[in-house]
Amino acid sequence: MKFKLYITCMGLFFMAACAKLDLNPLSDGSSETWNSTAEEIEMSLNGLYKDVFWPQDNDDWTDDFMYRDVTTPITGATINGETDFVRTWWVNSYKVIARANTIVHSVSRAADKLSPTQINRYSGEARFVRAAQYSKLLSHYGNIIYTDSAMDIDQALQQKQVEKAIVLQKIYADFDFAAENLPPSYTANELKRATSGAALAMKARIALQMEDWATAAEAAKDCMDQDIYKLHPDFSSLFLSKTKNSVEMVFGLPRSIALNVKMGDLQNYVPRNPGGWGAKNPSWDLFCAFLCTDGLPIDESPSFDPHNPFLNRDPRCAATIVPFGTSFLGYTYQPHPDSLKVWKDADMKYVENKDNRAVAIFASYNGLIWKKGVDGDWLLNSWNAEPDKIIIRYADVLLMYAEAKMELNQIDQTVLDAVNQVRARAYGVDYTATNLYPAVTTTDQTELRRIIRTERRMEFAKEGIRYMDIIRWKLAEKVLNNINYGMLDPADLRTKVVQPGLWFFPQTPAIDEDGVADFTALADAGLIKTVAVRKFDETRQYLWPIPSTEVLTSGLDQNPNY
């Protein structure tokens, strides 16, 4: 079986049953002898994989997302040291780091029972988790505490922040140790945990975020050269509950409804006709970012029709966003204001169209609905879902490699092949069949930078990737100070857009050099309306604030302008 981190049900039980979160973890126990056997060490390691320890960035922090007229602390520029996720991420990261440190320092207690190889493997796993947690802290907070010692709370409170460059090197060292000592794969009878490939992939990610292009390229290439991971054959099915432990998942966590480890907030993503709320939607900004089948942006491609905007688009567009007039979750999806009834597949008859704002005012404000990962099983399982939680997948490794080599201006065939493998998979063809999809051929650095950034946006929408991309590309100040637009109210929509024959987009928005759509002309003409005004303060928001409690009680330095 290919390598993944994939805890089985028994592992999930240990994860769920592990001790409450504490800086002084139960792996210390009431005894100085805990972690003296393989069983005890594995129980301690299982506790490092609790779902709460592995949060992902939210798509609603980005320009890919619309939640009616709501903004978040990030998109509303209200984030501060008391924001809930700012404190939760910080506290939980240091809790799991404390547990990992304890394992690293106590695993030698089992030296009389385990071989040096086994000891290094367990230590490598703990160091992998520690490096992943510090990576998250470094990329989001920047100015953090670093400790690799097992200590109690009083000792931890005396620690001071460490220079970013020093923390990064320690992260690299942990990932390197893990890559050298963790297995590349596991047998069918073993619990599937972190492996050497996961360490390399996660090292590439933090290196890319820190603009250490050489390290990112090398780590990604080493992961690719293991020849263990492959792209999942079908893009759409990769994100469904039925797809377990895909060959593409380099590192992730399993979910289980039975064990109450599941994905939540499902109804917001489901249209209203099947019983959802249709409230959280793809933005028009994202919709316009998908290229056409000739590989060109919508404002350059002669094949783009703004009145039939799903036609001739990259296949990931229709795999990510529900095309109008197609069947989805048992109903034809159609937000057209005159479509007061739609077809219900099961009953073979027309029913009231609750996804039309003329019928249900809280239907999608911009007419778009998520398709990617949305599964009919959600309805059957009482709004519970258990798709694998993918932390990093092989497509990301390929595109990280391509981006790092592009930024180094070391553009060769391996770079083009990496991008084309991802793009060709979307078209369902082999990347060598360059006549069957818009293969990337340019070696111009500026052109390729734009292509790779657009490719990442098309590939990773709704996966929690976009936020750190716009942060590290320094695009957040641009895209998060743009208005989130939507459709006019039904009466105006009919008279100003539908009756003149301008549905869906009255005209094609311009796409700039950063792949950002400009809707100003449509807004000025009164053909679309402002739904939410995003705000982003570039003087401070490229880093999160240090939690206020840490600044007040531990004397830590707050990040600038908070």
Side-chain angles (χ1 to χ4, degrees):
M1 196 171 194
K2 303 297 184 183
F3 148 70
K4 314 285 176 295
L5 178 140
Y6 198 85
I7 309 296
T8 62
C9 287
M10 182 176 292
L12 275 168
F13 171 78
F14 286 139
M15 290 160 63
C18 202
K20 70 176 183 178
L21 305 181
D22 200 326
L23 276 174
N24 189 17
L26 276 192
S27 55
D28 284 347
S30 58
S31 167
E32 296 299 320
T33 63
W34 185 256
N35 288 335
S36 297
T37 67
E39 291 76 13
E40 291 174 351
I41 295 169
E42 289 184 2
M43 288 182 67
S44 295
L45 288 169
N46 284 337
L48 305 183
Y49 296 118
K50 294 181 69 173
D51 182 75
V52 71
F53 291 148
W54 298 92
Q56 293 174 289
D57 292 311
N58 290 341
D59 293 282
D60 59 3
W61 299 340
T62 77
D63 55 335
D64 281 358
F65 205 87
M66 170 179 280
Y67 181 16
R68 296 176 178 158
D69 57 355
V70 177
T71 58
T72 69
I74 289 176
T75 57
T78 61
I79 185 172
N80 58 49
E82 297 179 6
T83 301
D84 55 357
F85 58 79
V86 168
R87 182 180 183 278
T88 300
W89 280 45
W90 178 279
V91 170
N92 284 345
S93 293
Y94 280 111
K95 285 176 180 176
V96 73
I97 286 167
R99 294 183 177 198
N101 285 341
T102 297
I103 295 170
V104 170
H105 287 279
S106 63
V107 70
S108 60
R109 295 172 185 168
D112 60 333
K113 301 179 181 68
L114 303 176
S115 69
T117 298
Q118 291 173 304
I119 293 291
N120 285 340
R121 170 176 161 177
Y122 288 137
S123 181
E125 191 172 347
R127 291 181 67 171
F128 166 85
V129 173
R130 182 170 70 188
Q133 297 296 323
Y134 274 126
S135 295
K136 178 175 59 180
L137 290 166
L138 184 65
S139 61
H140 287 71
Y141 299 90
N143 193 17
I144 64 172
I145 295 169
Y146 184 91
T147 177
D148 52 14
S149 301
M151 60 180 62
D152 60 27
I153 294 176
D154 290 336
Q155 292 172 315
L157 290 175
Q158 301 304 313
Q159 301 301 302
K160 298 300 179 184
Q161 288 141 306
V162 177
E163 186 179 339
K164 289 176 64 174
I166 295 174
V167 175
L168 184 60
Q169 292 306 312
K170 289 181 177 293
I171 289 171
Y172 287 166
D174 274 351
F175 278 139
D176 289 343
F177 184 90
E180 292 171 4
N181 290 283
L182 294 178
S185 61
Y186 291 90
T187 67
N189 296 323
E190 291 179 294
L191 295 180
K192 305 304 181 288
R193 304 181 185 276
T195 61
S196 57
L200 294 167
M202 296 295 280
K203 180 182 179 182
R205 173 174 282 178
I206 186 59
L208 200 74
Q209 291 171 344
M210 297 295 109
E211 299 186 348
D212 182 356
W213 313 122
T215 299
E218 181 181 10
K221 186 63 163 58
D222 287 345
C223 181
M224 294 158 59
D225 287 346
Q226 286 192 332
D227 198 27
I228 290 175
Y229 310 103
K230 309 290 181 185
L231 294 175
H232 192 79
D234 176 56
F235 177 79
S236 296
S237 66
L238 174 59
F239 311 100
L240 303 180
S241 295
K242 67 181 181 181
T243 302
K244 301 296 185 185
N245 200 19
S246 168
V247 69
E248 185 168 344
M249 188 171 70
V250 180
F251 175 66
L253 301 173
R255 291 186 174 105
S256 168
I257 293 174
L259 296 172
N260 201 34
V261 181
K262 57 193 178 183
M263 187 169 69
D265 192 28
L266 304 185
Q267 283 180 275
N268 271 317
Y269 294 88
V270 171
R272 300 178 76 87
N273 285 324
W277 300 322
K280 294 186 175 181
N281 315 116
S283 66
W284 282 356
D285 308 76
L286 171 63
F287 187 37
C288 291
F290 287 94
L291 302 176
C292 292
T293 51
D294 55 12
L296 295 174
I298 61 173
D299 65 336
E300 297 180 22
S301 174
S303 67
F304 179 69
D305 180 358
H307 310 313
N308 191 1
F310 285 93
L311 186 66
N312 301 321
R313 303 293 293 280
D314 184 292
R316 285 167 293 190
C317 182
T320 302
I321 303 170
V322 180
F324 303 156
T326 62
S327 179
F328 184 60
L329 301 181
Y331 296 80
T332 298
Y333 181 73
Q334 181 55 265
H336 193 291
D338 290 339
S339 182
L340 302 181
K341 292 185 178 293
V342 291
W343 185 256
K344 182 179 180 181
D345 297 340
D347 296 344
M348 298 187 65
K349 67 178 184 181
Y350 286 95
V351 298
E352 184 180 47
N353 183 9
K354 298 177 183 177
D355 287 305
N356 180 336
R357 294 195 70 234
V359 175
I361 194 64
F362 289 109
S364 172
Y365 280 23
N366 64 9
L368 303 183
I369 291 288
W370 289 107
K371 184 177 182 181
K372 184 176 182 179
V374 180
D375 195 345
D377 289 349
W378 293 10
L379 286 66
L380 300 176
N381 291 324
S382 302
W383 301 108
N384 293 305
E386 53 182 19
D388 286 344
K389 183 176 187 176
I390 301 173
I391 306 298
I392 193 165
R393 57 186 177 94
Y394 189 54
D396 204 355
V397 175
L398 290 170
L399 292 181
M400 287 192 298
Y401 171 76
E403 182 177 347
K405 293 283 284 185
M406 175 274 298
E407 292 294 352
L408 291 167
N409 208 15
Q410 297 174 358
I411 302 169
D412 57 19
Q413 191 60 44
T414 66
V415 174
L416 301 181
D417 288 348
V419 179
N420 284 330
Q421 285 181 61
V422 176
R423 181 171 291 189
R425 188 265 298 273
Y427 284 80
V429 300
D430 188 89
Y431 78 98
T432 59
T434 55
N435 61 318
L436 299 179
Y437 72 101
V440 178
T441 59
T442 183
T443 56
D444 179 82
Q445 186 183 42
T446 300
E447 290 180 14
L448 193 56
R449 179 180 292 113
R450 176 176 177 175
I451 288 170
I452 291 172
R453 290 182 177 186
T454 299
E455 196 70 23
R456 289 186 64 84
R457 193 173 192 184
M458 294 191 294
E459 179 71 16
F460 300 121
K462 199 173 170 283
E463 295 185 52
I465 300 293
R466 176 70 174 169
Y467 175 69
M468 281 309 301
D469 278 353
I470 61 175
I471 290 295
R472 64 191 182 84
W473 293 334
K474 295 297 184 286
L475 280 179
E477 64 196 73
K478 177 179 183 177
V479 301
L480 295 186
N481 280 310
N482 280 342
I483 292 171
N484 215 344
Y485 288 106
M487 300 183 297
L488 298 175
D489 291 334
D492 288 338
L493 190 62
R494 287 193 185 96
T495 58
K496 296 182 179 181
V497 175
V498 174
Q499 291 176 7
L502 301 178
W503 174 268
F504 174 67
F505 279 138
Q507 65 187 55
T508 303
I511 309 296
D512 72 9
E513 68 281 359
D514 292 315
V516 179
D518 183 359
F519 296 98
T520 305
L522 284 79
D524 290 346
L527 299 174
I528 60 176
K529 76 171 196 175
T530 295
V531 175
V533 178
R534 307 186 193 102
K535 296 179 181 179
F536 183 88
D537 185 350
E538 66 273 17
T539 69
R540 61 191 184 103
Q541 277 188 255
Y542 280 106
L543 288 175
W544 287 4
I546 306 300
S548 298
T549 52
E550 301 297 329
V551 175
L552 294 173
T553 62
S554 303
L556 301 186
D557 294 330
Q558 183 57 278
N559 282 326
N561 299 316
Y562 282 106

